Amino acid sequence: AEAGVRRFVGVGTCFEYQQSSAKLSLESPLGPTSPYAAAKASTYLTLSNCLPLNGVEFAWCRLFYLYGEGEDSRRLVPSIRNALSHGQEVALTSGTQVRDFLDVQEAGKCIAKVVMRNHTGPLNICSGKPVTVRELAGSIADEYGRRDLLKFGARAENPVDPPFVVGIPSTL
């Protein structure tokens, strides 16, 4: 505010929300369970209280499950693509986890709209479409004609991995 900044747009995460079996809306309670999510939620709460008091417009974009160009090769989508492109098996969990996947390019467009249209407050940047990991992996495998290489149940389930994370997209 002292430097003349009139608008601040921050980027958070869907993991700021308390885990739920329902779609996550802006009214869903916060309840982060990891240090990363707690840091994001704390930043949101602090900035949402102090910036407006100092004449700075504030928006907070909560991103859901992004994938796409530039993604770390160890993440789900690129690791599946890499293995399949080399004719290798892909060890996966059961794949029953339901997620809200969004291409990073679409997320970027949404954040740009937030900046350009002067939205304020928290916003969900997501597709709103529930997709299981099994469905996503299958659609990627179909591009290679290699569903036979998907080995569901070959990896142990992650005990801290939530079964359902889907948002209600904010209107931009």
Side-chain angles (χ1 to χ4, degrees), residues 119-135:
H119 290 281
T120 58
L123 300 117
N124 282 342
I125 306 298
C126 59
S127 71
K129 298 173 186 163
V131 176
T132 65
V133 169
R134 182 179 285 267
E135 290 168 329

Side-chain angles (χ1 to χ4, degrees), residues 80-141:
I80 293 172
R81 288 188 188 287
N82 183 52
L84 295 176
S85 71
H86 290 94
Q88 298 170 342
E89 290 184 348
V90 182
L92 298 159
T93 65
S94 65
T96 59
Q97 310 91 320
V98 179
R99 299 290 181 260
D100 189 324
F101 295 104
L102 185 65
D103 188 282
V104 69
Q105 290 184 11
E106 185 61 29
K109 290 176 188 175
C110 291
I111 293 169
K113 287 179 185 176
V114 171
V115 171
M116 301 306 293
R117 295 186 182 164
N118 295 322
H119 290 281
T120 58
L123 300 117
N124 282 342
I125 306 298
C126 59
S127 71
K129 298 173 186 163
V131 176
T132 65
V133 169
R134 182 179 285 267
E135 290 168 329
L136 176 68
S139 68
I140 295 168

Side-chain angles (χ1 to χ4, degrees), residues 19-168:
Q19 291 183 15
S20 173
S21 60
K23 284 189 173 186
L24 299 167
S25 72
L26 298 177
E27 291 76 34
S28 297
L30 299 183
T33 59
S34 72
Y36 170 78
K40 290 284 192 172
S42 175
T43 301
Y44 162 72
L45 292 169
T46 300
L47 294 177
S48 66
N49 285 305
C50 74
L51 290 179
L53 292 175
N54 289 288
V56 179
E57 290 181 356
F58 174 65
W60 188 254
C61 300
R62 290 195 178 109
L63 304 179
F64 281 64
Y65 284 79
L66 301 183
Y67 68 91
E69 187 176 340
E71 186 174 11
D72 187 304
S73 62
R74 296 169 292 181
R75 292 182 49 90
L76 180 64
V77 171
S79 68
I80 293 172
R81 288 188 188 287
N82 183 52
L84 295 176
S85 71
H86 290 94
Q88 298 170 342
E89 290 184 348
V90 182
L92 298 159
T93 65
S94 65
T96 59
Q97 310 91 320
V98 179
R99 299 290 181 260
D100 189 324
F101 295 104
L102 185 65
D103 188 282
V104 69
Q105 290 184 11
E106 185 61 29
K109 290 176 188 175
C110 291
I111 293 169
K113 287 179 185 176
V114 171
V115 171
M116 301 306 293
R117 295 186 182 164
N118 295 322
H119 290 281
T120 58
L123 300 117
N124 282 342
I125 306 298
C126 59
S127 71
K129 298 173 186 163
V131 176
T132 65
V133 169
R134 182 179 285 267
E135 290 168 329
L136 176 68
S139 68
I140 295 168
D142 289 345
E143 295 173 22
Y144 297 87
R146 295 305 308 258
R147 277 191 183 237
D148 61 305
L149 294 175
L150 299 178
K151 303 302 175 190
F152 293 102
R155 288 182 63 179
E157 301 292 330
N158 181 342
V160 298
D161 195 21
F164 186 90
V165 180
V166 179
I168 297 173

Side-chain angles (χ1 to χ4, degrees), residues 8-23:
F8 183 93
V9 178
V11 176
T13 175
C14 60
F15 290 111
E16 293 172 53
Y17 290 117
Q18 183 176 320
Q19 291 183 15
S20 173
S21 60
K23 284 189 173 186

